[in-house]
Short mmCIF file of all heavy atoms in Angstrom, two decimals:
data_model
loop_
_atom_site.label_atom_id
_atom_site.label_comp_id
_atom_site.label_asym_id
_atom_site.label_seq_id
_atom_site.Cartn_x
_atom_site.Cartn_y
_atom_site.Cartn_z
N SER A 1 7.85 19.85 -3.63
CA SER A 1 7.77 20.86 -4.68
C SER A 1 7.57 22.26 -4.09
O SER A 1 7.83 23.25 -4.76
CB SER A 1 6.62 20.55 -5.63
OG SER A 1 5.39 20.55 -4.93
N THR A 2 7.10 22.30 -2.86
CA THR A 2 6.96 23.58 -2.18
C THR A 2 7.54 23.44 -0.78
O THR A 2 7.55 22.36 -0.21
CB THR A 2 5.50 24.00 -2.07
OG1 THR A 2 4.78 22.99 -1.36
CG2 THR A 2 4.88 24.17 -3.44
N LEU A 3 8.00 24.51 -0.24
CA LEU A 3 8.60 24.54 1.09
C LEU A 3 9.73 23.52 1.18
O LEU A 3 10.41 23.27 0.22
CB LEU A 3 7.52 24.32 2.16
CG LEU A 3 6.40 25.35 2.17
CD1 LEU A 3 5.38 25.01 3.23
CD2 LEU A 3 6.97 26.74 2.41
N THR A 4 9.91 22.92 2.33
CA THR A 4 11.02 21.99 2.53
C THR A 4 10.57 20.86 3.43
O THR A 4 9.47 20.85 3.97
CB THR A 4 12.22 22.68 3.19
OG1 THR A 4 11.91 22.93 4.56
CG2 THR A 4 12.56 23.98 2.51
N PHE A 5 11.48 19.91 3.62
CA PHE A 5 11.25 18.81 4.53
C PHE A 5 11.61 19.16 5.97
O PHE A 5 11.52 18.31 6.84
CB PHE A 5 12.11 17.60 4.12
CG PHE A 5 11.52 16.74 3.07
CD1 PHE A 5 12.32 16.15 2.11
CD2 PHE A 5 10.16 16.47 3.02
CE1 PHE A 5 11.80 15.33 1.12
CE2 PHE A 5 9.61 15.66 2.04
CZ PHE A 5 10.45 15.09 1.09
N ILE A 6 12.03 20.38 6.21
CA ILE A 6 12.58 20.73 7.51
C ILE A 6 11.67 20.29 8.66
O ILE A 6 10.51 20.66 8.73
CB ILE A 6 12.85 22.24 7.61
CG1 ILE A 6 14.01 22.63 6.68
CG2 ILE A 6 13.18 22.65 9.04
CD1 ILE A 6 14.29 24.10 6.66
N GLY A 7 12.24 19.47 9.55
CA GLY A 7 11.53 19.03 10.74
C GLY A 7 10.61 17.85 10.55
O GLY A 7 10.11 17.30 11.52
N TYR A 8 10.37 17.43 9.33
CA TYR A 8 9.41 16.35 9.08
C TYR A 8 10.07 14.98 9.05
O TYR A 8 11.11 14.80 8.43
CB TYR A 8 8.71 16.55 7.74
CG TYR A 8 7.71 17.67 7.71
CD1 TYR A 8 7.93 18.78 6.90
CD2 TYR A 8 6.55 17.60 8.46
CE1 TYR A 8 7.01 19.80 6.85
CE2 TYR A 8 5.62 18.63 8.40
CZ TYR A 8 5.86 19.73 7.61
OH TYR A 8 4.94 20.74 7.55
N ALA A 9 9.43 14.02 9.68
CA ALA A 9 9.75 12.63 9.38
C ALA A 9 9.16 12.31 8.01
O ALA A 9 8.12 12.86 7.63
CB ALA A 9 9.14 11.70 10.44
N THR A 10 9.83 11.46 7.27
CA THR A 10 9.38 11.13 5.92
C THR A 10 9.43 9.62 5.72
O THR A 10 10.09 8.90 6.48
CB THR A 10 10.28 11.80 4.87
OG1 THR A 10 11.65 11.49 5.14
CG2 THR A 10 10.11 13.32 4.90
N GLY A 11 8.73 9.18 4.71
CA GLY A 11 8.70 7.74 4.51
C GLY A 11 8.13 7.35 3.16
O GLY A 11 7.77 8.20 2.35
N TRP A 12 8.05 6.04 2.96
CA TRP A 12 7.54 5.46 1.72
C TRP A 12 6.42 4.46 2.02
O TRP A 12 6.51 3.69 2.98
CB TRP A 12 8.67 4.75 0.97
CG TRP A 12 9.72 5.67 0.47
CD1 TRP A 12 10.87 6.02 1.12
CD2 TRP A 12 9.74 6.36 -0.77
NE1 TRP A 12 11.60 6.90 0.35
CE2 TRP A 12 10.93 7.11 -0.82
CE3 TRP A 12 8.87 6.41 -1.87
CZ2 TRP A 12 11.27 7.92 -1.92
CZ3 TRP A 12 9.20 7.20 -2.95
CH2 TRP A 12 10.39 7.94 -2.97
N PHE A 13 5.43 4.49 1.18
CA PHE A 13 4.34 3.51 1.19
C PHE A 13 4.22 2.96 -0.23
O PHE A 13 4.79 3.51 -1.17
CB PHE A 13 3.02 4.18 1.59
CG PHE A 13 2.97 4.65 3.01
CD1 PHE A 13 3.66 5.77 3.42
CD2 PHE A 13 2.22 3.95 3.95
CE1 PHE A 13 3.62 6.21 4.74
CE2 PHE A 13 2.17 4.37 5.27
CZ PHE A 13 2.87 5.51 5.66
N ARG A 14 3.48 1.88 -0.36
CA ARG A 14 3.23 1.34 -1.70
C ARG A 14 1.85 0.71 -1.76
O ARG A 14 1.30 0.29 -0.75
CB ARG A 14 4.30 0.31 -2.09
CG ARG A 14 4.28 -0.96 -1.27
CD ARG A 14 5.48 -1.84 -1.65
NE ARG A 14 5.48 -3.10 -0.93
CZ ARG A 14 6.46 -3.99 -0.97
NH1 ARG A 14 7.55 -3.75 -1.71
NH2 ARG A 14 6.37 -5.12 -0.29
N ARG A 15 1.34 0.68 -3.00
CA ARG A 15 0.06 0.03 -3.24
C ARG A 15 0.22 -0.88 -4.44
O ARG A 15 0.45 -0.41 -5.55
CB ARG A 15 -1.06 1.04 -3.49
CG ARG A 15 -2.43 0.38 -3.58
CD ARG A 15 -3.46 1.35 -4.11
NE ARG A 15 -3.61 2.54 -3.29
CZ ARG A 15 -4.42 2.64 -2.25
NH1 ARG A 15 -5.16 1.61 -1.89
NH2 ARG A 15 -4.50 3.78 -1.58
N ALA A 16 0.09 -2.17 -4.18
CA ALA A 16 0.16 -3.15 -5.25
C ALA A 16 -1.21 -3.33 -5.89
O ALA A 16 -2.23 -3.02 -5.25
CB ALA A 16 0.65 -4.48 -4.70
N PRO A 17 -1.27 -3.80 -7.12
CA PRO A 17 -2.56 -3.99 -7.79
C PRO A 17 -3.49 -4.85 -6.96
O PRO A 17 -3.12 -5.95 -6.53
CB PRO A 17 -2.18 -4.67 -9.11
CG PRO A 17 -0.78 -4.26 -9.36
CD PRO A 17 -0.14 -4.15 -8.00
N GLY A 18 -4.68 -4.35 -6.71
CA GLY A 18 -5.69 -5.12 -5.99
C GLY A 18 -5.48 -5.20 -4.50
O GLY A 18 -6.20 -5.94 -3.81
N LYS A 19 -4.51 -4.48 -3.98
CA LYS A 19 -4.22 -4.54 -2.54
C LYS A 19 -4.31 -3.16 -1.91
O LYS A 19 -4.31 -2.15 -2.60
CB LYS A 19 -2.83 -5.13 -2.32
CG LYS A 19 -2.68 -6.57 -2.76
CD LYS A 19 -1.33 -7.13 -2.37
CE LYS A 19 -1.19 -8.58 -2.76
NZ LYS A 19 0.12 -9.15 -2.36
N GLU A 20 -4.37 -3.16 -0.60
CA GLU A 20 -4.41 -1.90 0.12
C GLU A 20 -2.99 -1.30 0.20
O GLU A 20 -1.99 -2.01 0.10
CB GLU A 20 -4.96 -2.11 1.53
CG GLU A 20 -6.43 -2.52 1.54
CD GLU A 20 -6.99 -2.57 2.95
OE1 GLU A 20 -6.22 -2.42 3.91
OE2 GLU A 20 -8.20 -2.78 3.08
N ARG A 21 -2.96 0.00 0.43
CA ARG A 21 -1.68 0.66 0.62
C ARG A 21 -0.99 0.11 1.86
O ARG A 21 -1.64 -0.12 2.88
CB ARG A 21 -1.90 2.16 0.77
CG ARG A 21 -0.65 3.00 0.77
CD ARG A 21 -0.98 4.44 1.00
NE ARG A 21 -1.53 4.65 2.34
CZ ARG A 21 -2.27 5.68 2.68
NH1 ARG A 21 -2.59 6.60 1.79
NH2 ARG A 21 -2.71 5.81 3.93
N GLU A 22 0.32 -0.08 1.77
CA GLU A 22 1.05 -0.58 2.92
C GLU A 22 2.30 0.26 3.18
O GLU A 22 2.89 0.84 2.27
CB GLU A 22 1.47 -2.05 2.70
CG GLU A 22 2.47 -2.27 1.59
CD GLU A 22 3.02 -3.69 1.58
OE1 GLU A 22 2.91 -4.42 2.58
OE2 GLU A 22 3.62 -4.05 0.54
N PHE A 23 2.68 0.29 4.43
CA PHE A 23 3.88 0.99 4.87
C PHE A 23 5.11 0.23 4.37
O PHE A 23 5.16 -1.00 4.42
CB PHE A 23 3.89 1.09 6.39
CG PHE A 23 5.20 1.54 6.96
CD1 PHE A 23 5.57 2.87 6.89
CD2 PHE A 23 6.06 0.64 7.56
CE1 PHE A 23 6.78 3.29 7.42
CE2 PHE A 23 7.26 1.04 8.10
CZ PHE A 23 7.63 2.38 8.03
N VAL A 24 6.13 0.99 3.92
CA VAL A 24 7.37 0.37 3.48
C VAL A 24 8.53 0.74 4.40
O VAL A 24 9.22 -0.14 4.93
CB VAL A 24 7.71 0.80 2.04
CG1 VAL A 24 9.08 0.25 1.61
CG2 VAL A 24 6.63 0.34 1.07
N ALA A 25 8.76 2.04 4.59
CA ALA A 25 9.88 2.48 5.41
C ALA A 25 9.68 3.93 5.81
O ALA A 25 8.96 4.67 5.15
CB ALA A 25 11.20 2.33 4.65
N ALA A 26 10.35 4.33 6.91
CA ALA A 26 10.29 5.71 7.36
C ALA A 26 11.62 6.09 7.98
O ALA A 26 12.39 5.24 8.43
CB ALA A 26 9.15 5.90 8.37
N ILE A 27 11.85 7.41 8.02
CA ILE A 27 13.09 7.93 8.58
C ILE A 27 12.79 9.25 9.29
O ILE A 27 11.98 10.05 8.81
CB ILE A 27 14.16 8.11 7.48
CG1 ILE A 27 15.50 8.51 8.07
CG2 ILE A 27 13.69 9.11 6.42
CD1 ILE A 27 16.66 8.41 7.06
N SER A 28 13.42 9.46 10.43
CA SER A 28 13.21 10.69 11.17
C SER A 28 13.94 11.85 10.49
O SER A 28 14.77 11.65 9.61
CB SER A 28 13.72 10.52 12.60
OG SER A 28 15.12 10.28 12.59
N TRP A 29 13.63 13.05 10.92
CA TRP A 29 14.27 14.23 10.34
C TRP A 29 15.79 14.15 10.50
O TRP A 29 16.54 14.46 9.58
CB TRP A 29 13.75 15.49 11.03
CG TRP A 29 14.62 16.68 10.88
CD1 TRP A 29 15.32 17.32 11.84
CD2 TRP A 29 14.92 17.37 9.66
NE1 TRP A 29 16.04 18.37 11.30
CE2 TRP A 29 15.80 18.43 9.98
CE3 TRP A 29 14.50 17.21 8.32
CZ2 TRP A 29 16.29 19.32 9.02
CZ3 TRP A 29 14.98 18.10 7.38
CH2 TRP A 29 15.86 19.13 7.72
N SER A 30 16.26 13.69 11.65
CA SER A 30 17.69 13.61 11.90
C SER A 30 18.34 12.45 11.15
O SER A 30 19.55 12.44 10.94
CB SER A 30 17.95 13.42 13.39
OG SER A 30 17.47 12.15 13.82
N GLY A 31 17.53 11.49 10.77
CA GLY A 31 18.07 10.30 10.12
C GLY A 31 18.48 9.21 11.08
O GLY A 31 18.83 8.10 10.65
N TYR A 32 18.41 9.46 12.39
CA TYR A 32 18.87 8.48 13.36
C TYR A 32 17.85 7.36 13.58
O TYR A 32 18.22 6.27 14.02
CB TYR A 32 19.19 9.15 14.69
CG TYR A 32 20.46 9.95 14.65
CD1 TYR A 32 20.45 11.31 14.94
CD2 TYR A 32 21.67 9.36 14.33
CE1 TYR A 32 21.62 12.05 14.91
CE2 TYR A 32 22.84 10.09 14.29
CZ TYR A 32 22.81 11.44 14.58
OH TYR A 32 23.96 12.17 14.53
N MET A 33 16.59 7.62 13.33
CA MET A 33 15.56 6.60 13.54
C MET A 33 15.01 6.18 12.19
O MET A 33 14.66 7.02 11.36
CB MET A 33 14.42 7.16 14.41
CG MET A 33 13.34 6.14 14.72
SD MET A 33 11.92 6.87 15.60
CE MET A 33 12.72 7.40 17.09
N THR A 34 14.96 4.88 11.98
CA THR A 34 14.35 4.32 10.78
C THR A 34 13.49 3.12 11.17
O THR A 34 13.65 2.54 12.24
CB THR A 34 15.39 3.87 9.75
OG1 THR A 34 16.23 2.86 10.33
CG2 THR A 34 16.24 5.03 9.26
N ARG A 35 12.60 2.77 10.27
CA ARG A 35 11.80 1.58 10.47
C ARG A 35 11.43 1.03 9.10
O ARG A 35 11.19 1.78 8.16
CB ARG A 35 10.53 1.88 11.27
CG ARG A 35 9.75 0.62 11.65
CD ARG A 35 8.52 0.96 12.47
NE ARG A 35 7.76 -0.24 12.82
CZ ARG A 35 7.80 -0.79 14.02
NH1 ARG A 35 8.54 -0.26 14.98
NH2 ARG A 35 7.09 -1.87 14.28
N TYR A 36 11.38 -0.29 9.00
CA TYR A 36 11.07 -0.97 7.75
C TYR A 36 9.98 -1.99 7.97
O TYR A 36 9.88 -2.59 9.06
CB TYR A 36 12.31 -1.68 7.18
CG TYR A 36 13.45 -0.77 6.83
CD1 TYR A 36 14.42 -0.44 7.78
CD2 TYR A 36 13.57 -0.23 5.56
CE1 TYR A 36 15.48 0.39 7.47
CE2 TYR A 36 14.63 0.61 5.23
CZ TYR A 36 15.57 0.91 6.19
OH TYR A 36 16.63 1.74 5.87
N SER A 37 9.21 -2.24 6.92
CA SER A 37 8.29 -3.35 6.99
C SER A 37 9.10 -4.64 6.89
O SER A 37 10.20 -4.67 6.33
CB SER A 37 7.27 -3.28 5.85
OG SER A 37 7.92 -3.49 4.60
N ASP A 38 8.54 -5.70 7.41
CA ASP A 38 9.25 -6.98 7.38
C ASP A 38 9.52 -7.45 5.95
O ASP A 38 10.51 -8.11 5.68
CB ASP A 38 8.44 -8.04 8.13
CG ASP A 38 8.45 -7.81 9.63
OD1 ASP A 38 9.33 -7.07 10.12
OD2 ASP A 38 7.56 -8.36 10.31
N SER A 39 8.64 -7.08 5.05
CA SER A 39 8.76 -7.56 3.68
C SER A 39 9.94 -6.95 2.92
O SER A 39 10.38 -7.51 1.91
CB SER A 39 7.46 -7.30 2.91
OG SER A 39 7.20 -5.90 2.86
N VAL A 40 10.46 -5.83 3.40
CA VAL A 40 11.57 -5.18 2.68
C VAL A 40 12.84 -5.10 3.52
O VAL A 40 13.90 -4.72 3.01
CB VAL A 40 11.19 -3.76 2.20
CG1 VAL A 40 9.90 -3.79 1.39
CG2 VAL A 40 11.07 -2.79 3.37
N LYS A 41 12.74 -5.45 4.78
CA LYS A 41 13.89 -5.34 5.68
C LYS A 41 15.06 -6.16 5.15
O LYS A 41 14.91 -7.30 4.74
CB LYS A 41 13.50 -5.82 7.08
CG LYS A 41 14.44 -5.43 8.19
CD LYS A 41 13.87 -5.85 9.53
CE LYS A 41 12.57 -5.16 9.85
NZ LYS A 41 12.03 -5.54 11.17
N GLY A 42 16.23 -5.54 5.11
CA GLY A 42 17.41 -6.21 4.59
C GLY A 42 17.63 -6.01 3.10
O GLY A 42 18.72 -6.29 2.59
N ARG A 43 16.62 -5.54 2.40
CA ARG A 43 16.74 -5.31 0.95
C ARG A 43 16.64 -3.83 0.60
O ARG A 43 17.27 -3.37 -0.36
CB ARG A 43 15.66 -6.08 0.20
CG ARG A 43 15.73 -7.58 0.39
CD ARG A 43 14.72 -8.29 -0.54
NE ARG A 43 13.34 -7.92 -0.24
CZ ARG A 43 12.52 -7.38 -1.13
NH1 ARG A 43 12.93 -7.12 -2.37
NH2 ARG A 43 11.27 -7.09 -0.79
N PHE A 44 15.83 -3.09 1.33
CA PHE A 44 15.61 -1.67 1.07
C PHE A 44 16.33 -0.84 2.13
O PHE A 44 16.39 -1.24 3.30
CB PHE A 44 14.13 -1.33 1.11
CG PHE A 44 13.32 -1.88 -0.02
CD1 PHE A 44 13.80 -2.86 -0.88
CD2 PHE A 44 12.02 -1.42 -0.23
CE1 PHE A 44 13.03 -3.37 -1.91
CE2 PHE A 44 11.24 -1.91 -1.26
CZ PHE A 44 11.75 -2.89 -2.09
N THR A 45 16.84 0.32 1.72
CA THR A 45 17.47 1.24 2.66
C THR A 45 16.93 2.65 2.42
O THR A 45 17.04 3.17 1.30
CB THR A 45 18.99 1.26 2.49
OG1 THR A 45 19.51 -0.07 2.67
CG2 THR A 45 19.64 2.19 3.50
#
């Protein structure tokens, strides 16, 4: 909502009811590097 994503790696996390927050996926600024949690690999992009 302010400034830009310039230079930042970005990603997604989630928190299910009654559980701790967990990592889902991340992507580098260039887009060349990504990583996924095992639970979403192959289903999420």
Side-chain angles (χ1 to χ4, degrees):
S1 61
T2 59
L3 300 178
T4 72
F5 275 144
I6 291 177
Y8 287 115
T10 53
W12 294 92
F13 292 74
R14 67 186 182 187
R15 187 192 301 272
K19 296 186 178 181
E20 293 186 353
R21 189 183 65 202
E22 66 170 343
F23 168 76
V24 175
I27 186 168
S28 63
W29 160 247
S30 67
Y32 286 121
M33 183 186 297
T34 60
R35 187 179 179 103
Y36 298 89
S37 67
D38 289 341
S39 61
V40 307
K41 196 175 297 181
R43 299 187 298 122
F44 291 13
T45 303

